[in-house]
Amino acid sequence: MLPIPNETRRPLVLLVEDEPALADTVSYSLGREGMDVVQARDGEQAMERFRAGRPALVLLDLMLPRLSGLDVCRLIRAESTVPIVMLTAKDSEADKVAGLELGADDYVTKPFSMRELVSRVRAHLRRAEMTHNVEPEPGMLAGGPVELDPDRHVALIRGEPMPLTPKEFELLETFLARKGRLLTRQYLIEEIWGPGYVGDTKTLDVHVKRLRQKIEADPHRPAHLLTVRGLGYKFVD
Ligand code: CA
């Protein structure tokens, strides 16, 4: 029997681009390189198809009808660590920076060569595959000074057991599971307090403040649980 080549598993790429001619050219090029492509023409369609298809990578035009590319980037990043490569116009420096701050991984400036695009996409897929393969000990979460064992509900800070309230534990677990990513205030509130939560959103800030007192060496100048101004929080090593 012939060995089954690795290439049989075709990665799925979500291409968000409202110009049909460009979208088709890109789809064709990626298809020829062994990838499956699903297209979306606007921001809302992008979110629908993202949630339905769980692609391995997102190619995201920033100038879109309905939801803008930056909104799409923020929404995807709040729920996934999938690589996001932006397709940007030459004169959109501010958008590029905003996209990267919102968690996009890379950008390609229009007009781009298909060869450049394909090699960028390949590189990000490879990197994502590699980080996927170095999972820590199953069930354990770690970041900065924190180690969490969600099954046993144990938290260690710098190796010492630290008592946490259930909400603090859940919040820290959410941060560690999505380390390095911006988590919006809305995402965190829905994730921890449920989508029907109608209380004061200051509750979240109070919990973050208490967590900082427990994990940060200097809670007033946090090195791990960071504020992303106007958007939310993120946890870094
Ligand atoms: Ca466009």
Side-chain angles (χ1 to χ4, degrees), residues 78 170 174 178 185-195:
E170 239 182 289
T174 304
R178 294 169 186 279
R185 301 172 52 81
Q186 193 195 346
Y187 172 81
L188 287 166
I189 288 167
E190 289 189 4
E191 194 72 8
I192 311 299
W193 284 274

Side-chain angles (χ1 to χ4, degrees), residues 73-89:
C73 183
R74 185 166 41 79
L75 288 170
I76 290 179
R77 195 44 90 224
E79 55 189 74
S80 168
T81 59
V82 66
I84 301 174
V85 178
M86 301 179 283
L87 306 176
T88 64

